[in-house]
Amino acid sequence: GAVVSQHPSWVICKSGTSVKIECRSLDFQATTMFWYRQFPKQSLMLMATSNEGSKATYEQGVEKDKFLINHASLTLSTLTVTSAHPEDSSFYICSALRRTSGEQYFGPGTRLTVT
Amino acid sequence: GESVGLHLPTLSVQEGDNSIINCAYSNSASDYFIWYKQESGKGPQFIIDIRSNMDKRQGQRVTVLLNKTVKHLSLQIAATQPGDSAVYFCAESLEGDSTLTFGKGTMLLVSP
């Protein structure tokens, strides 16, 4: 089966610092990756769509200068939370769209805590 | 029974019971639907999907029903097991658009 990994699985950072989260498709190529944010006891909210080799498309209300997305290859997308604040603490989940089948596979998530 | 928490409705069942989890979707134009299972601290796991040209689809111990008239989706789990305890989300999308919109989710608690 298709596997998507995220690194790190959890991270604690201080307010004002930046944190980078990686999303990798391990055994398939993904032209498109999606980034979601999930607060406790809530649903997944799409933040942005990341396309390989082009700029990401952000959902309404998501600050593109705060959440930097880079999709430099067909197997890697990164999300950088810049100048993190405690309200950015959340569970960040990525998914990858398999180029050959169009199926979407989710990563295990990254727990970000900003102190 | 079913109760509504602050954000997440909860369905509590006994092991061996059949569970029915419901979802009201938002876009009448959506034509592809997926049910996901999410365990605590993990990413969503695909369970079963259905396209709008069908009203029922069966998998192993799971059945998805789609009622397009009232924009309603349900997931039936037969002989529910403690390992089925998790949060279940429905998601919808449009043909040709891989973007998924997730529903609010239901927590399923299975007692041994």
Side-chain angles (χ1 to χ4, degrees):
Chain A
V3 178
V4 175
S5 71
Q6 285 184 236
H7 178 80
S9 56
W10 60 270
V11 57
I12 301 173
C13 71
K14 291 188 176 181
S15 189
T17 61
S18 296
V19 174
K20 181 186 284 189
I21 302 170
E22 292 184 349
C23 177
R24 291 182 186 272
S25 55
L26 298 185
D27 51 0
F28 66 95
Q29 292 184 332
T31 50
T32 302
M33 290 183 174
F34 301 91
W35 287 96
Y36 297 84
R37 181 168 50 185
Q38 185 179 32
F39 293 107
K41 296 191 185 301
Q42 294 189 30
S43 188
L44 283 75
M45 296 299 294
L46 181 65
M47 298 175 67
T49 302
S50 165
N51 293 299
E52 188 264 337
S54 64
K55 290 184 178 180
T57 304
Y58 290 82
E59 295 299 303
Q60 193 172 11
V62 178
E63 300 173 60
K64 62 180 181 181
D65 294 330
K66 180 171 181 61
F67 298 99
L68 301 179
I69 291 172
N70 185 289
H71 193 156
S73 78
L74 288 172
T75 59
L76 173 65
S77 176
T78 61
L79 168 68
T80 301
V81 183
T82 62
S83 187
H85 288 101
E87 57 265 33
D88 298 323
S89 298
S90 189
F91 194 51
Y92 291 87
I93 304 170
C94 73
S95 69
L97 198 65
R98 189 172 198 158
R99 186 171 68 162
T100 54
S101 67
E103 292 173 277
Q104 195 168 152
Y105 300 92
F106 282 83
T110 296
R111 173 74 59 194
L112 170 63
T113 301
V114 185
T115 61
Chain B
E2 184 173 324
S3 62
V4 176
L6 187 60
H7 293 292
L8 210 59
T10 301
L11 176 64
S12 298
V13 301
Q14 295 284 330
E15 181 177 4
D17 286 353
N18 295 331
S19 302
I20 300 177
I21 300 170
N22 297 301
C23 174
Y25 63 92
S26 57
N27 190 345
S28 57
S30 293
D31 56 7
Y32 180 55
F33 306 89
I34 310 174
W35 278 101
Y36 289 96
K37 173 185 180 183
Q38 186 181 28
E39 295 175 301
S40 182
K42 298 183 178 180
Q45 177 187 350
F46 174 92
I47 301 174
I48 192 168
D49 60 357
I50 189 168
R51 295 200 177 274
S52 60
N53 60 351
M54 303 174 69
D55 52 22
K56 180 179 181 179
R57 191 160 186 234
Q58 289 185 292
Q60 190 175 17
R61 277 204 309 122
V62 295
T63 301
V64 55
L65 299 177
L66 174 63
N67 185 331
K68 296 181 288 293
T69 303
V70 294
K71 295 190 292 184
H72 185 267
L73 198 64
S74 69
L75 176 70
Q76 300 178 359
I77 305 175
T80 315
Q81 303 166 1
D84 294 327
S85 294
V87 178
Y88 290 80
F89 293 98
C90 68
E92 60 184 290
S93 72
L94 295 165
E95 183 175 359
D97 183 355
S98 49
T99 302
L100 293 173
T101 300
F102 280 79
K104 294 187 186 306
T106 297
M107 179 175 287
L108 176 65
L109 296 175
V110 184
S111 305

